[in-house]
Amino acid sequence: MRLFHHHRFTIRLKMLLLALGLAWTPLVLIGALGMLNLDQARDTAVQTVTEALQQQAESNLEKRTIDKAQRYNAALASVEQQVRSLSATGTVLFGSTPSPELAVGRVWVSPDGLTLETGRAHATAVARAQIMIPLLRAAVQSNSLVSLGYVGLEDGGVLATDHDIVDVLQQIKPFDVRKRNWYITARSAGHTVWVDTYVDANTKKLTTTCATPIYDRQGNFVGVVGFDLLLDTIQQDLLKFSPGENGYAFLINGEGKVLVRPDMEPGEASWNSSFAGENLLQSSDPALRAVVQRMTQRQQAVEQLFYQGGNVYLAYAPIPSAGWSVGMVVPQNEVVQLANAVGTDLARRQQRLRADIILVFGVMMAGIGLGSVILTRQITHPLRQLRSSAHRITAGDLHYQVEQVSNDEIGDLAQSFNMMTASLRQKVVELEENLQHLATLNDVSNRFKAIVSLPELLDAIPRAICRDFGFDRAALYMINDNVLQVVSVCFGMDGAEQEQAFLHAANDQPITMSSNTVEADVVRSGQAVVVTNPWDNPRVLQHKQRASSSESYVQAPIFGKDGKIIGLLSADYYHQKREVTAQDAAQVLTYASMVGLSVENARLYEELERKVAQRTDELRVALERAREADRMKTRFLAAISHELRTPLNAIIGFSTVLLEEIQGPVTHAQREDLRTIHDNGQFLLHLITELLDLARIEAGKIDLRAADVDIAAVINDVAGTAQGLLRDRSVKLRVNLPANLPPVLADRGRVRQILLNLLSNAVKFTEFGEIAVSARPVMMSRNDGKDTHTLPCIAISIRDTGRGIEPDLLPVVFEEFRQVHADRTGMRGSGLGLAITRGLVEAHGGRIWVESVLGQGTIFTFTLPVSLASKPRRLVTTHARRAATNGHAVENH
């Protein structure tokens, strides 16, 4: 059988040999069985191949879309970077007086162009715009996607472009750059923006613009820098990557509006009117709307849709730099046409084989049964093996190789399978390498997050890129006062001496940002640079080169917050003796981006720790001062109250003796003077008593003699005392108490003081109406520091119909030395009564609060705990009695 492997025998020749060796009957039977097995193997192989090739085609379409999105993301990011660079350059240039010899080129002054009058009126703006023209021209020439670069200034609406379009603007004037959508959008946003599709005034074609505002050094708005991207240029670039004859690509923005599509034209829209582009989120097709919704959410995928009368594949991926998404639409039959072609070819060969077998059946009538079985097995075995191989490949075994057991068409197909698996295996390896790099980057980022010390982080950065990413040496530069300094290096296990030499050489002659060096170029451009000939490069500092002796290295900028460059990272393969590639540069740039965020976070953490420590020390000192002041105030009040009570008691006593004329008569004038002395002495004594009470309360030394107190009796007693304060006033005092108030656990004298203070306060500020005293049992929650308990209490309320209290004064009525209405009533007081009242209530374990409506009255309510040792008892009801002095009633209910 080895003979069949050394010479190419077609299936037709094998069937011919079979017909020659078999008799008619065995040939028919064995041939029928062989054809049946062949059909089954053919169908299985075609199905497996079709599915595998279809999956590969979908994967290729998705990869092509992602590659396209990444390419445009890089291109648009480059455009944004150029625009920002020109804006930063404008900030520097506009901060000084422009040099006349640098001002060349034609510019436009809104709205009718440059004239002698407008030139004199806006001479500075014209000169600044002309200085920008060479910079615009250089930036546009470096980017093939940009069709026009320009700068528009707020002063006079001056417009300068990279090439002269003044004659075009003369034809369409009046033209005011400050009224253009890109100018207004950038000025309003205050940062770099991408403007939706519009009709360009210069080319009359559909255009999109990347624009950013310019500010002077004082932060004042100066103008806008913009780059135009013609949509037909983007269309032509997209069509270069058109997936199939009938496929096409398109771009949409973050709102679902179509920016670029092959059939997209300005139509009747003029340059000074809005362009109404199609919004796919408003499509009548719900499936398309759902896909576009995912595109606006910056997702990527490949989906099947029924669109415009046919089944299509829609692959899409985001372009983060501009907030756009790219989509590729391909008819389904084009995606799977290779798989269909393979199935058709197998079917055609099967039909040809069937015809040959029938012909052999008609011509040959003899043969040997054993030979027929062997030849039939030789025909069907490769197909079965091919089917088994297809199953293994579909299951993911990309290292499996199909054995080429025959030298015919099936052998060719087996070879194609092996080529396909090799290609897939290579793609998987590349994908695994990228995933490994991302995983390593994530692991390093997580390690950096745990480092809060900035010096430790700076030391770890070059060591991590050597240890985790395979570089031999690395150096970290940081920008300090417009100078690049090497802060840490890693030259390998035995490179300590060379590290010190490099640090000394690099920092001996500081690298300024304005110097003509590779490092300064990297910082100014924001791009990674691969240096392959450092010994001959005029921008390489040779004293530093001699210390490093590197033959090839990459330097990448480190971006901090807000896109500001804070340093750069350098790395090489010194020990491996190989050059740095563009792929290595991209890897270092990605690592540097992550490093910038870590450095900024460490700086913020150190600054926060410093501020927290400083603030903590300040608060500690302030708290101690406040505590000392409070202690001194308490001691002062106690001492001064005690020292003043003795002479005041003597003054009050002697004035009383003189008023009672015990030592002889006094004149009327003397009596009035003595009464004034006596009344003021009583007032001062009351004030001192209140100060002493307040000092005791604040010191926590108030002495309460708690016992069961009949609260109803105390209320009636105090109400009778307060009745005397209402003499000659149109105010009625009411007491409304339930019949079964339980006793409270309190100091009777202090409770009487609380009630008298609140009733005196109500009488003082009530000119007419009534004052009502009521009480009711309530349940109050109380927290003892561990748990919250609910305790029975008695709530006593004193309601008056006085002037009320303003809402903004309610929170301060219980503060010391506060007299809410003293300036209105002219009544003197210490301002301590309510503060003492609150302290006494809280000392009993109760609460006090106030409710008031301005112009309607006030309600003070406080609670006292019920005595749990005694059961509630029924109290005797006292009927209303008439006061003999002024005719006002005190009612008990």
Side-chain angles (χ1 to χ4, degrees):
M1 299 305 296
R2 290 292 178 182
L3 180 63
F4 290 92
H5 294 279
H6 297 289
H7 301 282
R8 182 176 179 85
F9 285 89
T10 64
I11 294 178
R12 180 181 299 181
L13 181 57
K14 292 175 182 179
M15 293 303 299
L16 179 60
L17 293 176
L18 179 63
L20 291 175
L22 296 177
W24 185 81
T25 302
L27 181 63
V28 171
L29 295 177
I30 296 174
L33 292 175
M35 289 299 298
L36 179 61
N37 291 333
L38 189 60
D39 287 341
Q40 294 176 351
R42 190 273 315 271
D43 293 341
T44 302
V46 169
Q47 180 180 359
T48 305
V49 171
T50 300
E51 293 175 354
L53 292 178
Q54 184 174 350
Q55 292 176 1
Q56 181 185 8
E58 293 178 8
S59 176
N60 290 339
L61 179 60
E62 182 177 17
K63 182 179 182 300
R64 179 178 298 177
T65 305
I66 294 173
D67 290 345
K68 190 66 176 177
Q70 292 175 347
R71 177 177 176 272
Y72 266 96
N73 184 60
L76 296 180
S78 175
V79 172
E80 287 186 0
Q81 183 62 36
Q82 288 179 321
V83 171
R84 292 193 189 102
S85 297
L86 286 175
S87 174
T89 302
T91 299
V92 175
L93 292 177
F94 297 167
S96 60
T97 303
S99 178
E101 58 271 14
L102 298 178
V104 294
R106 300 176 69 190
V107 299
W108 179 266
V109 179
S110 302
D112 298 319
L114 179 62
T115 64
L116 291 176
E117 182 180 353
T118 58
R120 285 193 298 268
H122 307 287
T124 301
V126 170
R128 289 174 172 174
Q130 289 174 332
I131 291 174
M132 292 292 292
I133 291 177
L135 302 178
L136 292 170
R137 185 176 297 117
V140 172
Q141 289 175 354
S142 66
N143 197 315
S144 59
L145 289 179
V146 178
S147 64
L148 182 65
Y150 44 82
V151 57
L153 303 182
E154 188 73 8
D155 183 6
V158 178
L159 174 67
T161 58
D162 67 295
H163 60 273
D164 189 4
I165 64 168
V166 173
D167 293 336
V168 176
L169 297 180
Q170 286 288 351
Q171 298 174 6
I172 63 172
K173 67 180 183 180
F175 178 83
D176 192 340
V177 67
R178 295 166 296 187
K179 297 181 179 179
R180 297 298 290 159
N181 184 41
W182 55 267
Y183 187 95
I184 297 172
T185 303
R187 179 178 59 191
S188 300
H191 56 77
T192 303
V193 296
W194 283 94
V195 182
D196 288 344
T197 303
Y198 66 94
V199 180
D200 179 32
N202 176 33
T203 61
K204 309 304 186 294
K205 296 181 179 180
L206 294 181
T207 305
T208 185
T209 294
C210 178
T212 191
I214 305 173
Y215 297 94
D216 60 18
R217 293 177 179 176
Q218 288 73 37
N220 299 316
F221 175 75
V222 175
V224 176
V225 175
F227 279 2
D228 282 355
L229 280 71
L230 292 180
L231 296 195
D232 57 358
T233 301
I234 300 178
Q235 289 174 3
Q236 294 171 7
D237 187 69
L238 284 175
L239 292 176
K240 292 179 183 178
F241 294 84
S242 178
E245 296 180 358
N246 297 319
Y248 63 91
F250 64 94
L251 293 176
I252 66 172
N253 63 8
E255 288 75 35
K257 187 176 180 180
V258 177
L259 299 176
V260 179
R261 193 173 59 194
D263 59 349
M264 197 168 177
E265 295 293 340
E268 298 298 329
S270 62
W271 69 270
N272 56 357
S273 62
S274 60
F275 176 75
E278 180 182 4
N279 192 322
L280 297 182
L281 287 176
Q282 300 174 357
S283 172
S284 60
D285 187 347
L288 178 60
R289 290 199 306 271
V291 172
V292 174
Q293 183 67 35
R294 289 189 284 276
M295 291 177 70
T296 59
Q297 296 171 354
R298 300 191 178 183
Q299 300 180 18
Q300 64 183 38
V302 177
E303 301 192 25
Q304 298 185 34
L305 294 174
F306 184 80
Y307 182 65
Q308 293 183 347
N311 292 320
V312 298
Y313 282 95
L314 174 56
Y316 52 89
I319 304 176
S321 61
W324 299 348
S325 285
V326 61
M328 289 190 177
V329 180
V330 183
Q332 186 177 8
N333 57 356
E334 289 191 10
V335 174
V336 299
Q337 66 181 14
L338 179 59
N340 293 336
V342 172
T344 302
D345 183 65
L346 288 176
R348 185 177 65 254
R349 292 178 182 273
Q350 178 64 26
Q351 292 297 329
R352 184 190 304 171
L353 182 60
R354 185 185 300 274
D356 291 343
I357 293 176
I358 293 174
L359 179 61
V360 171
F361 284 168
V363 176
M364 303 301 297
M365 303 296 271
I368 301 172
L370 181 60
S372 300
V373 172
I374 295 174
L375 290 177
T376 302
R377 179 180 177 82
Q378 188 175 3
I379 294 172
T380 59
H381 178 68
L383 291 176
R384 293 181 181 274
Q385 189 176 21
L386 185 62
R387 179 183 63 180
S388 176
S389 302
H391 281 303
R392 294 188 64 172
I393 294 172
T394 304
D397 187 4
L398 299 180
H399 292 279
Y400 180 76
Q401 293 290 305
V402 180
E403 182 182 359
Q404 191 172 352
V405 297
S406 60
N407 196 22
D408 53 15
E409 292 86 349
I410 299 177
D412 294 340
L413 184 59
Q415 185 178 2
S416 299
F417 262 86
N418 291 335
M419 294 174 61
M420 179 188 69
T421 54
S423 177
L424 290 176
R425 187 166 57 252
Q426 181 180 0
K427 298 299 182 183
V428 170
V429 170
E430 293 177 358
L431 181 60
E432 288 177 347
E433 290 178 353
N434 292 334
L435 291 175
Q436 181 62 35
H437 289 159
L438 290 176
T440 303
L441 188 65
N442 183 64
D443 181 61
V444 173
S445 176
N446 290 334
R447 293 205 307 268
F448 284 175
K449 290 177 182 178
I451 301 176
V452 297
S453 172
L454 182 58
E456 182 181 351
L457 176 63
L458 296 179
D459 184 66
I461 288 171
R463 303 190 184 280
I465 196 173
C466 294
R467 181 179 63 250
D468 298 310
F469 294 93
F471 289 91
D472 293 337
R473 305 187 307 178
L476 176 63
Y477 297 74
M478 297 301 294
I479 298 176
N480 184 15
D481 293 334
N482 204 34
V483 174
L484 270 174
Q485 293 181 338
V486 179
V487 295
S488 63
V489 293
C490 176
F491 278 14
M493 296 291 294
D494 302 324
E497 183 177 349
Q498 193 178 14
E499 288 177 1
Q500 294 301 320
F502 180 80
L503 279 170
H504 177 73
N507 293 329
D508 185 49
Q509 299 180 15
I511 304 173
T512 63
M513 295 298 96
S514 59
S515 62
N516 189 21
T517 60
V518 174
E519 290 81 2
D521 288 344
V522 171
V523 174
R524 287 192 294 263
S525 66
Q527 302 292 327
V529 173
V530 176
V531 180
T532 56
N533 56 341
W535 295 105
D536 301 326
N537 194 322
R539 294 179 179 268
V540 174
L541 298 176
Q542 292 303 313
H543 70 280
K544 186 165 64 70
Q545 174 62 23
R546 287 189 294 273
S548 66
S549 301
S550 178
E551 298 296 335
S552 171
Y553 58 89
V554 58
Q555 291 186 337
I558 300 175
F559 290 91
K561 60 182 180 180
D562 300 328
K564 180 182 179 181
I565 297 178
I566 61 175
L568 64 86
L569 187 66
S570 178
D572 65 13
Y573 294 106
Y574 178 77
H575 299 297
Q576 301 178 43
K577 303 295 183 183
R578 73 178 182 88
E579 291 189 353
V580 177
T581 65
Q583 184 177 1
D584 297 327
Q587 187 175 352
V588 173
L589 188 60
T590 303
Y591 177 79
S593 299
M594 180 273 293
V595 163
L597 296 178
S598 299
V599 171
E600 292 287 16
N601 290 337
R603 286 177 173 175
L604 290 174
Y605 183 82
E606 282 196 348
E607 179 65 16
L608 182 60
E609 276 194 333
R610 184 188 65 79
K611 290 183 177 180
V612 168
Q614 178 182 357
R615 186 59 178 164
T616 301
D617 292 339
E618 293 174 354
L619 291 175
R620 187 181 296 111
V621 171
L623 179 62
E624 185 59 32
R625 289 177 178 174
R627 288 175 175 172
E628 181 61 24
D630 187 62
R631 288 192 295 268
M632 293 179 65
K633 183 194 73 172
T634 302
R635 289 195 297 268
F636 172 77
L637 288 176
I640 198 66
S641 299
H642 178 75
E643 294 297 331
L644 291 177
R645 286 171 66 91
T646 300
L648 275 177
N649 284 327
I651 292 171
I652 294 171
F654 284 120
S655 63
T656 301
V657 169
L658 292 174
L659 284 172
E660 292 178 355
E661 299 182 350
I662 296 176
Q663 297 180 354
V666 295
T667 65
H668 177 74
Q670 291 174 336
R671 179 177 295 279
E672 292 299 323
D673 293 339
L674 289 172
R675 188 174 301 280
T676 301
I677 293 172
H678 182 273
D679 292 343
N680 281 280
Q682 290 287 0
F683 176 75
L684 286 175
L685 183 62
H686 174 70
L687 178 60
I688 291 170
T689 302
E690 287 186 334
L691 286 172
L692 188 58
D693 284 343
L694 181 63
R696 290 171 178 170
I697 291 172
E698 289 184 347
K701 297 180 180 180
I702 187 72
D703 186 16
L704 296 179
R705 298 180 180 180
D708 290 355
V709 175
D710 186 349
I711 189 63
V714 176
I715 292 173
N716 287 324
D717 179 37
V718 174
T721 302
Q723 183 65 47
L725 301 175
L726 295 174
R727 186 177 293 108
D728 300 327
R729 301 182 68 178
S730 300
V731 179
K732 191 174 184 179
L733 177 64
R734 293 180 179 272
V735 178
N736 186 10
L737 302 176
N740 57 347
L741 276 178
V744 296
L745 183 62
D747 185 322
R748 181 184 182 90
R750 294 300 186 179
V751 172
R752 192 176 187 282
Q753 182 180 355
I754 293 169
L755 287 168
L756 190 58
N757 279 348
L758 294 177
L759 280 172
S760 298
N761 190 70
V763 170
K764 185 187 300 182
F765 298 109
T766 305
E767 299 177 0
F768 57 87
E770 69 174 16
I771 299 173
V773 183
S774 61
R776 65 187 186 281
V778 295
M779 299 297 292
M780 301 294 290
S781 60
R782 183 176 181 181
N783 194 321
D784 59 2
K786 296 181 179 179
D787 299 312
T788 300
H789 305 282
T790 303
L791 299 176
C793 296
I794 300 298
I796 300 98
S797 297
I798 293 90
R799 178 180 59 83
D800 63 58
T801 57
R803 67 181 66 213
I805 304 172
E806 290 84 348
D808 57 335
L809 295 178
L810 287 175
V812 301
V813 295
F814 292 107
E815 293 184 1
E816 296 91 340
F817 308 108
R818 283 280 187 174
Q819 292 181 279
V820 176
H821 295 304
D823 55 339
R824 298 180 183 177
T825 61
M827 300 178 183
R828 65 177 181 173
S830 63
L832 299 176
L834 291 178
I836 293 172
T837 300
R838 180 180 64 177
L840 292 175
V841 170
E842 292 176 351
H844 283 86
R847 290 177 52 208
I848 185 170
W849 64 92
V850 61
E851 303 168 75
S852 182
V853 177
L854 194 63
Q856 297 183 17
T858 304
I859 303 175
F860 282 91
T861 304
F862 68 95
T863 63
L864 294 173
V866 171
S867 176
L868 300 179
S870 302
K871 295 182 181 180
R873 58 185 180 274
R874 185 174 180 82
L875 303 177
V876 179
T877 301
T878 304
H879 295 283
R881 57 186 175 84
R882 182 70 59 183
T885 56
N886 56 4
H888 294 283
V890 178
E891 299 181 4
N892 296 328
H893 300 281

